[in-house]
Amino acid sequence: MPLDDAFAPYRLAPGALPEEAARAAEALSAEPLLAPPAEPLPAPLVNRALADIPAGRAATASEACRAADGNPAGLSGPLRACLSSDRQQARVAEAARAALDAGFAGVCLDRPDAPLALGLLGAGFCVDCQRAVGRELTREYGDHFQPVDYLALAREAVAQAPGAVTFDHLPFGRDFWRVRNRALALALRGYARSARDAARAAGRAFEVVAQFEALGPAQLAAARLVDATIFPAPATSGPGLVRLLRAAAGRRPVAIATQPGDGAPAALARLAAVAATCGVELSGLEPGGAAGQEVAAVRRLARQLALRAGRPPSLAAPVAELAVLYSPEADLWTGGRHRRSVERAGDALAALHAQAPVVMRVQDAPPGAVLVLADAGALSALEASQARRRLEAGGTVIAFGAPGAVDEGGRQTGAFLPAGKPGGVRVGSGTLVELPALAPEKGPGGAPDLAALERTLASLLGRGRRAARVAGRAQVLVVLNRTGEALDVHLVAPERAQGATLFLGEHVAGGVRRGRFVSSDGSDVRIPLNPSGYSISTVLPSFKGYAVLSVSA
């Protein structure tokens, strides 16, 4: 069961008949099935299903991780396992081997980040975790460092804290928080290694998938340790989050899991269309009815186009006028403000039809793209030096809020760029534009001023050199992807778009004069493309939902 062909996983509900669930899933083009390892499945289903292994859940209270108050982690709900526990590693490895022997196509590690999702004080204070923290402190401060009772230190710090407790309030809090986040990657790497070793010994393919409970720097950084990932997200998510998930997963399949009852069915259908522009799908059988059919139509169209192109949706190369940097390091030390800012910047740029994929490293930004730093107040020393060198060598940087750098412990080392202005300042041979923060440390922040951002883009990119824009009454999202010499123009219209005119820059589309327009609501027509200054333009057929215009030289 190659996950690249389709990755819209659905979990078998307790008590549901597998055959009935499979029929419902087929109607919505959802696969693969996630089933408990002990669930008796028919032979045609088991070799296409993933065994659902509760990697983040402890078997007993005595084996659970501990919160700062000494109680088992997750005491009010499912008990959370310890990420540093050898017993948990062995238990997950044994479950993976049992799934392999039962004929499953792979495993889904269900919420391996469950202890980390409880936050700073919810877990991480068991014996195994304290041992890991002790090793880190010894490495950081030398062999002469004496072991400490970290649980007692944490309790004392919490009792004396004036308000909400952050890692700054705990003794060695930054070291503790880094160890907690690093433990997820170490645990996930161990889970995946044991499953792959067993599959190699058996001589057959075996997929390893992870479904995370939370969205954070450790989860995003760990996404490439497994074959595919499922991330939680609200149904109201926009293109900023979708592009972030695609960047985190790289070329691996990735899906979004919304909470049951989260948002109206129309919102889920819109999210499915937005996600399809980046080769991302929705997980689960929600929604039903007409909205479910819209989601299924989006899935089928995306897979049809990928089959025609001869590659999975995740392998398309995005066109990049700008590149938004996401730094797990900055996200870790800003408490998630950096990620929220990346999402808001991505949503705002998408609203202006700017092509702005997210990148995880400065060097991944294409040479001619404008680098966007969104509330990047805690970049690593390496990221800061790379961004400055790119700017001084003639690049362009848009900074929402003042960028800053930190040392390995997350302590500020100062600004690495001079103060910028909305109109831009010269730094070396490049240009630095600084705009208001989108997720400031104090205050709610919010979306940027679109009119001001449009003026900034016009001055940096040139009014006649934009890759794409749309003129019309309806709001239309435009995402450009390349497959070889072909250009796919992904279009999303939550409401019916009629009479909208699409403009594509000649430097992006070339001199083509015809394109194929296919939509999820049934259209499949050839349409003309006409010269229009430095662009080519066409009046789009009426459509609603998801559509793709394919042009090739």
Side-chain angles (χ1 to χ4, degrees):
M1 183 209 60
L3 297 180
D4 283 342
D5 293 343
F7 188 64
Y10 67 100
R11 183 168 273 102
L12 184 65
L17 294 176
E19 295 87 347
E20 292 182 1
R23 284 193 293 270
E26 185 178 1
L28 294 179
S29 298
E31 60 176 309
L33 168 68
L34 310 182
E39 180 73 30
L41 296 178
L45 288 182
V46 68
N47 62 359
R48 295 183 58 83
L50 302 178
D52 199 15
I53 297 177
R57 183 175 297 184
T60 63
S62 62
E63 295 186 10
C65 197
R66 288 294 187 269
D69 59 5
N71 288 319
L75 188 60
S76 60
L79 296 174
R80 311 300 174 100
C82 172
L83 289 171
S84 303
S85 169
D86 292 336
R87 288 176 297 180
Q88 181 68 8
Q89 281 279 347
R91 184 177 295 107
V92 173
E94 179 58 32
R97 284 192 294 270
L100 180 69
D101 294 339
F104 281 91
V107 292
C108 176
L109 304 173
D110 186 29
R111 296 168 177 80
D113 62 324
L116 186 61
L118 292 177
L120 181 67
L121 303 177
F125 295 90
C126 67
V127 173
D128 290 319
C129 288
Q130 289 196 61
R131 188 179 298 118
V133 173
R135 287 195 299 266
E136 174 67 14
L137 294 177
T138 300
R139 184 194 69 82
E140 180 72 17
Y141 299 104
D143 292 336
H144 63 278
F145 184 84
Q146 297 297 313
V148 297
D149 185 348
Y150 198 79
L151 179 58
L153 292 177
R155 286 176 176 174
E156 183 179 354
V158 170
Q160 296 178 358
V165 177
T166 68
F167 50 74
D168 286 324
H169 293 95
L170 297 181
F172 309 106
R174 294 177 180 273
D175 302 288
F176 172 73
W177 191 227
R178 180 178 286 283
V179 170
R180 287 282 315 281
N181 281 267
R182 188 181 293 162
L184 176 61
L186 295 175
L188 199 59
R189 188 178 286 114
Y191 299 154
R193 184 187 300 114
S194 60
R196 288 164 180 159
D197 287 347
R200 193 177 299 111
R204 71 181 183 90
F206 197 68
E207 308 285 356
V208 181
V209 176
Q211 176 163 356
F212 293 115
E213 180 172 329
L215 185 63
Q219 292 87 342
L220 290 165
R224 302 192 187 191
L225 298 176
V226 291
D227 298 310
T229 45
I230 307 169
F231 284 98
T236 55
S237 300
L241 175 62
V242 172
R243 285 170 167 166
L244 172 59
L245 298 185
R246 169 49 58 212
R251 297 189 171 190
R252 294 165 177 78
V254 59
I256 292 174
T258 60
Q259 293 295 325
D262 178 17
L268 292 171
R270 172 192 168 276
L271 178 58
V274 172
T277 65
C278 297
V280 179
E281 297 203 54
L282 298 192
S283 172
L285 294 179
E286 289 280 337
Q293 294 306 315
E294 287 186 46
V295 172
V298 169
R299 288 172 176 159
R300 285 192 286 267
L301 175 56
R303 295 172 190 175
Q304 170 194 334
L305 295 172
L307 180 64
R308 192 174 70 197
R311 52 98 186 123
S314 59
L315 295 188
V319 173
E321 297 175 288
L322 306 98
V324 184
L325 175 68
Y326 171 76
S327 164
E329 187 81 0
D331 201 20
L332 176 66
W333 301 122
T334 60
R337 290 190 297 107
H338 173 59
R339 177 182 58 80
R340 293 193 295 273
S341 185
V342 166
E343 291 181 31
R344 290 169 180 173
D347 290 344
L349 292 169
L352 299 176
H353 307 125
Q355 303 306 303
V358 175
V359 295
M360 301 286 284
R361 302 181 303 173
V362 175
Q363 60 266 38
D364 291 338
V370 176
L371 182 66
V372 179
L373 303 178
D375 286 301
L379 296 179
S380 68
L382 176 61
E383 292 168 330
S385 65
Q386 289 175 337
R388 184 173 183 101
R389 283 200 302 268
R390 181 186 178 97
L391 177 61
E392 291 176 340
T396 303
V397 171
I398 297 177
F400 291 97
V406 296
D407 62 13
E408 187 178 347
R411 290 171 283 270
Q412 288 288 332
T413 59
F416 62 91
L417 294 177
K421 298 179 180 179
V425 297
R426 298 294 292 178
V427 180
S429 301
T431 302
L432 170 64
V433 175
E434 186 173 327
L435 300 174
L438 302 180
E441 190 169 359
K442 295 182 180 180
D449 183 341
L450 290 183
L453 184 57
E454 175 65 39
R455 291 192 295 271
T456 297
L457 295 180
S459 65
L460 297 178
L461 303 177
R463 294 187 181 277
R465 298 289 295 174
R466 293 292 296 276
R469 56 189 179 92
V470 175
R473 294 183 178 179
Q475 291 185 345
V476 180
L477 171 66
V478 183
V479 177
L480 307 182
N481 289 326
R482 285 195 182 280
T483 302
E485 296 298 321
L487 176 70
D488 289 333
V489 184
H490 297 260
L491 305 162
V492 178
E495 303 297 331
R496 180 158 295 278
Q498 191 163 0
T501 302
L502 171 69
F503 296 87
L504 299 174
E506 279 194 344
H507 62 290
V508 174
V512 296
R513 292 296 175 262
R514 296 190 68 83
R516 182 180 179 181
F517 179 89
V518 185
S519 68
S520 59
D521 59 6
S523 297
D524 188 350
V525 295
R526 296 277 181 178
I527 59 176
L529 300 168
N530 306 303
S532 179
Y534 292 102
S535 305
I536 57 175
S537 65
T538 185
V539 177
L540 296 172
S542 175
F543 79 100
K544 177 186 177 184
Y546 177 57
V548 178
L549 172 64
S550 300
V551 298
S552 58

